[in-house]
Every structure is written in C-alpha cells, then in structure tokens.
C-alpha cells in the first residue's frame, strides 16, 4: 500500500430484488462495482430494522483506494443510484445500501459524513461481518478492536 492509498471498510446490505437479481446477487454486483477488494466477509441474513418486513442480506468488505473519505462516499452514493436506490423512508426496503464504516486514517467528519459510522458499534449486522475480515482493527474513538466490540453484543 502506497502512502496515498487508504484502507476502507464498507458495510453492504440489500433486502429487495433489483436488476442484478436477489439481494445476495445485488451484494455481489455491488462488490464488483466498488472494486479493489482486499477482503470480503460471507453474506449473513438478518432481521430488518424499522418498518421493513423483508430480511436483509448483509456483508462487509475491506478495500484499498486513493480516494478521500468524501470522494469514496460520493462514489458509493453513485453506485447506489445506479442500482436503483431512491431516497425514501429510513429503514425501508432497498436494493442496495453501502455504508462507509471505517478508514485507515482514523476519524473523519464533514457535512454528510462521519467516520467511523456513528451507529456501527451497536449493529450486529455490521460488526459480525467486520469481525470476520478485520477483527484487530481498532475503533479510533473507543480504542477497542472490532473483535472486542462484537463480543459486547447481546446474544
């Protein structure tokens, strides 16, 4: 990895068929669209949050990129739009959801983006896939590893 290249952890989720097929197929297509994947978790199925009734397919990837967090976020949002994602109700059914969770530069804050993702420590559907690919990555705010954060989850 060169000095200008960063590592990013991205959480992926889908609970609605899209042009690529099933939610699992949507995740696979999104991983291909993002590219530069260093590690990928297996896909897990989880119960939805909020009003959606459809179960989610969730996964996480570790990528390398020379992009800044803001540049990567813009690209992730463009990929979501190209997959048919429309802004709507929070936690509603969606073809694809791509969240920038962590980056190798530590913490980042700008309008519309906070890294680490503010809620990732409370979400099993994010932490469990992360623990399988970056168990020793330290949360820059708490100092705990992903493995330690996942172990604190109930159940």
């Amino acid at each position: 990895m060169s000095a200008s290249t960063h590592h990013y952890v991205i959480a992926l989720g889908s609970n609605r068929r899209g042009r690529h097929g099933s939610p699992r197929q949507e995740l696979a297509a999104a991983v291909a669209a993002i590219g530069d994947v260093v590690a990928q978790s297996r896909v897990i199925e989880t119960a939805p949050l909020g009003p959606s009734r459809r179960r989610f397919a969730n996964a996480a990837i570790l990528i390398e990129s020379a992009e800044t967090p803001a540049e990567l976020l813009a690209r992730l949002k463009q990929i979501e739009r190209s997959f048919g994602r429309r802004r709507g109700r929070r936690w509603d059914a969606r073809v694809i959801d791509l969240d920038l969770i962590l980056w190798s530069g530590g913490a980042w804050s700008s309008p519309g983006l906070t890294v680490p993702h503010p809620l990732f420590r409370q979400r099993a559907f994010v932490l469990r896939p992360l623990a399988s690919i970056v168990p020793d990555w330290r949360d820059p705010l708490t100092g705990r590893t992903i493995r330690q954060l996942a172990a604190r989850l109930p159940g």
Side-chain angles (χ1 to χ4, degrees), residues 102 134-146 148-149:
L102 297 162
V134 290
D136 297 322
W137 189 311
R138 289 200 179 271
D139 174 0
L141 301 184
T142 67
R144 291 189 176 96
T145 65
I146 297 301
Q148 289 169 328
L149 292 170

Side-chain angles (χ1 to χ4, degrees), residues 71-145:
E71 290 167 341
L72 179 58
L73 177 67
R75 186 161 66 90
L76 295 177
K77 294 303 174 193
Q78 177 55 43
I79 292 169
E80 287 180 341
R81 285 189 298 277
S82 75
F83 274 56
R85 170 92 187 259
R86 300 291 175 255
R87 302 316 293 172
R89 281 194 324 198
R90 190 174 185 188
W91 297 319
D92 207 359
R94 59 198 58 181
V95 172
I96 198 72
D97 186 26
L98 304 173
D99 287 329
L100 200 168
I101 304 298
L102 297 162
W103 82 299
S104 55
W108 171 281
S109 185
S110 65
L113 176 61
T114 301
V115 180
H117 189 286
L119 300 175
F120 92 97
R121 294 169 202 86
Q122 302 147 22
R123 294 181 168 171
F125 63 88
V126 173
L127 282 175
R128 291 200 171 109
L130 260 61
S132 73
I133 60 171
V134 290
D136 297 322
W137 189 311
R138 289 200 179 271
D139 174 0
L141 301 184
T142 67
R144 291 189 176 96
T145 65

